[in-house]
Every structure is written in C-alpha cells, then in structure tokens.
Amino acid sequence: MPRDEVARDTIAAIATPAGRGGIGVVRVSGSTVARIARALLGRLPGPRHAEVARFADAHGEPIDEGLALYFPAPASYTGEDVLELHGHGGPVIMGALLAACLDAGARLAEPGEFTRRAFLEGKLDLAQAEAVADLIDAASREAARSALRSLSGEFSAAIEALQRNLVELRALTEAQLDFPEEELDDVHRHDTAERLQAVRAALDQVLARSRQGSLLRSGVHAVLVGPPNVGKSSMLNRLAGEERAIVTPLPGTTRDALREPIHIDGVPLVLVDTAGLRASGDEIERLGMARTHQELGRADIVIVVHEAASPERLAQPLPPEAARIDVYNKIDLHPDFRAPAGALAVSAKTGQGLAELRRAMLRAAGWSATGESVFLARERHLRALASASAHLARAADQQASWELFAEELRLAHNALAAITGEFTSDDLLGEIFSRFCIGK
Ligand SMILES: Nc1nc2c(ncn2[C@@H]2O[C@H](COP(=O)(O)OP(=O)(O)OP(=O)(O)O)[C@@H](O)[C@H]2O)c(=O)[nH]1
Ligand SMILES: [Mg+2]
C-alpha cells in the first residue's frame, strides 16, 4: 500500500557520475514509463530482462545502442514502473538520452527522488534510505560495511525490537490505567520495573553501537600541537604514510595549519598539523599560531607533542572537551628517556611507539574494538536514541504515577519511531533527501 496516494509524475535522471565511462545509465521511474519506453525503443522490453536495444530521439534519430531494462511496479527500486537505459558513458550521449526521456514526458528528478519514492512506497524505511546515501558516501571499507548492514535492515530491526518491547510494556501500563481504583499490585509493579530495566539496557546497547558507528561517518579531528621543532609535522607525515608536511631543522617551519585525512583501522580521522607555539616577533608565524588556536577550538583530540630531552610545558590552555594525548618525540635520540605515566614515548623518525599512538587515538575517539558490529548512525539517530533513553530514565523515576509513567513510555516510543520514519514531516524528508546525489 503506497504511503501517500498522490499520483506521481515520471522522473528521469542520469544515474552514473558525470564524465566519460564504459557505460552510463539513465533511469526513469513513474506511471508513464511504458509510454516513454515505446517512444525511445519502439517497444516495451520484457519485465526484468536485459534487452539489447537502439535508443532513438523523438524524431526517430538514433542516439545510442545499449541495454534496456524494464522493472514493472511494484518489483522495482522505487516500487513504481522503472526503466533503465544502459548506454555508452559519454556526456553527449547521456545528455541526449536524458533529453529524449524528457521530450517523451518525464521531468528531471531531484536529488534522492528515486530513493524518496522507494521510501514513500514502503520499499525502504527511513534509516535504510539514509543508508543508501551513506553507502555511496562511505569513506572506508568499515563505513561501507556498516552502511550495508543498515541498508539490509539490521539497524532498523534493532530499533523495531526496542519498539516491540516498549509496546508490550505500554500495554501492561495502559491496562493498569484502565483500573485506577484497583489496588496497585506489587507483582505487576515489579514486573513493569523489570521490563523497563530490560528495555533500557537494550536501548543503551544500541546507543553505544550507534555512537561507535557514528565515528565512521564524522571524521574525528585530531590536532597536533606543541612548541616549534618538536616533530609535529614529522608525526603527521608518519601517521599519513606520506611526506605531506614540510619538515626542516628550523623552528617555526610550519606556518599554516595542514589537514590530512587518515584512517586507523577503518576509522576516518582528520589529522591537523599546526604552527609551533612560542613567543615570536615574526608576523607570519604569529598568524600561523592564531590558526593553531582556531584549530584547537575544533579539536576532538589534542595530541600534545613534546621533545623527549627537553620537555617544555605548553602554556597554551587546551579545550576542556577534547581528549588529550601527550607524546614525547625523538626517543631515538634519548633511548633512556622514560615518558611520564599516561604519556607515550615515540619517534617519528624510526616509527617507534606509533602503533601505541594510533591505538591511543582510536581510544580517545571513543572507538573500542569490541568485535561487535556497529551501526553507522547519523546525528539524527543519535539524538532520537538519546531522547528515548532520557524518557525511559524519567519513566523509571515515575513509578508512583502510572499516568506519568505511561506518558514517558509513549514519548520514548515516538522518539524511536522517528528513526525508521513512521511519522516524519515533509521538511525532514526534504532535508534528508536533498543531500543525496541526482539519480539515486
Ligand atoms: N632524531 C629525530 N629527529 C626528529 C624526529 N622527529 C622530528 N625530527 C627532526 O626534528 C626537526 C623538526 O621536525 P618537524 O617535524 O619540522 O617539527 P615541527 O614540530 O613540525 O616544527 P615546527 O613546524 O617548526 O613547529 C627536523 O629536523 C626533523 O627531522 C625524531 O623522532 N627523531
Ligand atoms: Mg611543523
């Protein structure tokens, strides 16, 4: 059953990236797909069979030869009639094919409109639809794996399991509300408290797995700071595995902040090298230090680099919300140096201690290699889960009043329902799908 009954027009878009490629695909979806197929191909291809066809424009002028695929509703990506034309992947041919579809009555699809229709037709829930974009945007294999799990419904299933438990609990509670004059039954009260506890524990687990997974999307900012010449740029080059930053024996080499995306065990981080902090009369160096302060404001992790032999204290106050890792560099020069408790001794030159540093960075980012699969949650999901969790915590404090208890359960339930998109505003849908690419 379609989720909204508005008759939808037919949309078309080039589904493959712009530029030249072996093949390019134009995708068409909607109620007039059969007519468009006949206009371009002279016939309607058999359902779900790849057929070789000649594509022609409105004047019968050939455009290309390729494969045509027809997916009649409802067994298609969008749930509507869908036609895919696989031609040669050149911008002129793709443009002409798309124009021919538009001439035959389709209109240009908006970003994410195919997936939005799939959602409206009930083919995907909202979390799955978001996973489509996350899979396309995945910056690492780990992120792609998590997105694929969400797409196949693993995340939604976890949310639905929580909802089912909440529904049972609400049914129990509502029954109690219907007989307010009856004496409060201790057994019932105990049972309710226990079930609530179980739902809260399960929710906390989903939240923890989602918080972990959200790290795979966001890219944690790790900023290298310290006095000049301690080896910050050398460290960045080591961690990036490439000579990105200029390294010289002269203090004050780095002027501008340099950002370098890296992965540690599939977790994306943005590593930022900064200008060394010291009192300086040099105008450029002072501007560089101003940038360092800016970068510190954005840091999730601050890696404070010291030189093993002459550990200087950093006068700079650090942002309190960022995790801090202290490293003492150049231990190859000072093999007897012992780092203070909690700090790491490393050498950017030999690579000693860098495995520990990478592990410390992952830990500071909130990543724990539990081996349990994580959910590639979005900020929206985390907010909803946190809100559900807060309502359940309040419910736990409300057991003297069944009305308030029931109300908190209802609010927790609604928060969870927002994740899979049971009740969603057009505004939210617009915001989510507008960030998709065209043709998806
Ligand atoms: N022996 C040794 N030398 C190092 C090590 N790390 C960096 N150096 C040297 O220390 C000097 C300064 O290194 P940089 O990486 O430019 O230091 P920086 O902290 O970025 O310095 P500024 O950009 O000036 O703030 C260079 O000559 C490096 O080769 C190390 O682990 N061992
Ligand atoms: Mg430097």
Side-chain angles (χ1 to χ4, degrees), residues 227-234 245-248 250 252-256 273-276:
N229 221 33
V230 293
K232 300 179 294 298
S233 300
S234 308
I246 298 174
V247 168
T248 75
L250 305 171
T253 302
T254 304
R255 302 301 180 89
D256 228 344
D273 182 23
T274 62

Side-chain angles (χ1 to χ4, degrees), residues 310-390:
S310 51
E312 261 179 78
R313 289 203 56 79
L314 194 69
Q316 173 66 30
L318 297 177
E321 33 336 315
R324 171 180 178 148
I325 304 172
D326 282 276
V327 294
Y328 291 82
N329 189 33
K330 308 195 189 182
I331 46 160
D332 54 296
L333 299 178
H334 312 281
D336 296 330
F337 178 80
R338 291 284 161 266
L344 299 172
V346 306
S347 165
K349 187 173 178 191
T350 66
Q352 194 184 337
L354 284 179
E356 283 87 346
L357 176 56
R358 287 193 180 90
R359 273 199 296 278
M361 287 167 72
L362 280 186
R363 255 200 319 279
W367 184 259
S368 51
T370 53
E372 188 162 27
S373 57
V374 300
F375 297 128
L376 194 68
R378 296 179 164 212
E379 197 47 46
R380 184 181 85 77
H381 305 151
L382 293 181
R383 272 203 310 272
L385 286 167
S387 155
S389 172

Side-chain angles (χ1 to χ4, degrees), residues 211 215 220 267 269 300-301 323 359-367:
R211 282 214 178 97
L215 295 175
V220 175
V267 179
L269 292 103
D300 301 301
I301 304 172
R359 273 199 296 278
M361 287 167 72
L362 280 186
R363 255 200 319 279
W367 184 259

